Amino acid sequence: MKIIFFGSTDFSQPIAQKIHESYGLAGVVITKPKPKGRGLTVELPLVGKWANENNIMLFAPDNPNAPDFIKQLTDIAPDIFVLSAYGHILSGDLLKVPRVGGINIHPSLLPKYRGAAPIQRAIMAGEQKTGITIFFMDEKIDHGKIILQQEVPIGEKETYGSLSQRLAQLGGELAIQALRMIEKNEYQPIAQNENEASYAPKIKKEETFINWYEPSKKIFNLVRALNPCPGARTHFRQMELTILEVEPCDEKIDPGVLYIRNKELLVGSGDGALIIRLLKPANRRVMSGSDFINGYRIKNGEAFKR
């Protein structure tokens, strides 16, 4: 089959590579990168660099639904689109281009956690399982009929980074399985149950700041969900800290207040306390809680603030 892949994140790259190894890709479409930093440099996402290294046609349109881009893809005459973490909704006109249509590889058990941040939102909610769903795309967000779905358990201390890697590997394997089922016409698409639908919107910056008045478990889940990026944040002595790893403990400390116990750095929460295992001061390296105590001469009674 002649396949065009749409994807723009680190999650997309292992899936694109897996499909390319089995079928070859006729093209890769990424979201147009934006200039960043003082020098306004433009850097391709990982999947874009990988496509260039493998001499695969790379497209970065301003708008994938624009008529001129649809014409460009029509001239390639693809059999199917495969999309994963692309960043745009494909229009009906664009989805009519491939002979078979388009499939999406989504990291949740649809219809739960439709949207841009399904992995982070599942961890934030304390879910014990998630999964991969492969479905035919329509013009609604994560709405089409399901071809394949597989559950994946979420580890008690698992982070967004480690879970995302596991799901991307599984997504690549299931994508191959789905493409073979479609080739042989051996599948029975199942409509999603709208009564069970939930949404996972993009993480807003204000959501990344820790409210130390929340229960320990909720803070623990937030830190896991935002590790390694963008990171859960707090303020201390006029600087911003990124909190990367915490662990609930049995102490009772006022929310945000710091306490040193046997060289461990503890911080109070709404219903107890957490041990700070790893953190990163702005423009500094990642360090342990004990290194932070020694390096910044932390005193009992100082506090983190939102």
Side-chain angles (χ1 to χ4, degrees), residues 159-230:
T159 65
Y160 163 64
S162 62
L163 182 57
S164 180
Q165 286 182 6
R166 285 204 298 133
L167 289 171
Q169 290 300 323
L170 177 63
E173 293 167 10
L174 292 183
I176 300 302
Q177 193 175 331
L179 288 168
R180 287 177 179 153
M181 290 165 67
I182 292 167
E183 270 188 307
K184 296 176 182 176
N185 199 25
E186 293 178 349
Y187 62 97
Q188 291 186 330
I190 300 169
Q192 297 185 34
N193 183 346
E194 291 303 305
N195 294 327
E196 296 179 356
S198 64
Y199 291 87
K202 187 176 178 180
I203 307 289
K204 296 177 182 174
K205 185 177 180 181
E206 56 265 33
E207 293 180 88
T208 67
F209 286 94
I210 299 171
N211 177 358
W212 296 105
Y213 286 83
E214 297 277 11
S216 293
K217 186 68 174 178
K218 189 168 182 178
I219 295 170
F220 172 68
N221 288 339
L222 177 72
V223 171
R224 293 192 298 134
L226 302 182
N227 177 341
C229 62

Side-chain angles (χ1 to χ4, degrees), residues 88-156:
H88 291 277
I89 303 298
L90 306 193
S91 68
D93 287 342
L94 181 53
L95 287 172
K96 289 175 186 171
V97 170
R99 178 179 59 83
V100 179
I103 61 172
N104 188 325
I105 301 153
H106 186 78
S108 84
L109 297 172
L110 289 175
K112 294 182 177 177
Y113 294 103
R114 292 172 171 171
I119 304 174
Q120 297 96 323
R121 297 285 181 190
I123 296 174
M124 285 168 70
E127 298 279 6
Q128 296 182 347
K129 67 179 181 182
T130 181
I132 290 287
T133 302
I134 299 182
F135 62 98
F136 280 111
M137 286 184 282
D138 58 22
E139 292 184 79
K140 297 180 180 177
I141 297 174
D142 301 327
H143 173 269
K145 291 185 176 179
I146 294 172
I147 307 165
L148 268 179
Q149 189 170 71
Q150 184 168 320
E151 280 188 15
V152 173
I154 300 176
E156 189 179 349

Side-chain angles (χ1 to χ4, degrees), residues 55-89:
N55 299 313
I56 301 169
M57 272 196 295
L58 182 64
F59 303 93
D62 286 319
N63 176 7
N65 298 310
D68 58 340
F69 185 66
I70 293 177
K71 171 71 167 56
Q72 211 174 349
L73 294 192
T74 302
D75 291 343
I76 298 173
D79 293 305
I80 192 167
F81 290 161
V82 179
L83 182 148
S84 186
Y86 174 53
H88 291 277
I89 303 298

Side-chain angles (χ1 to χ4, degrees), residues 212 234-236 241 243 256 258 265 267 276 292 303-306:
W212 296 105
T234 193
H235 289 101
F236 178 69
L241 304 177
I243 307 296
L258 301 179
L265 181 62
V267 57
I276 302 292
F292 185 67
F304 288 162
K305 296 180 180 177
R306 190 172 187 177

Side-chain angles (χ1 to χ4, degrees), residues 266-288:
L266 276 57
V267 57
S269 69
D271 64 352
L274 301 111
I275 303 169
I276 302 292
R277 295 295 188 197
L278 286 177
L279 75 164
K280 183 182 180 305
N283 303 315
R284 298 291 179 92
R285 64 177 175 82
V286 175
M287 60 182 69
S288 66

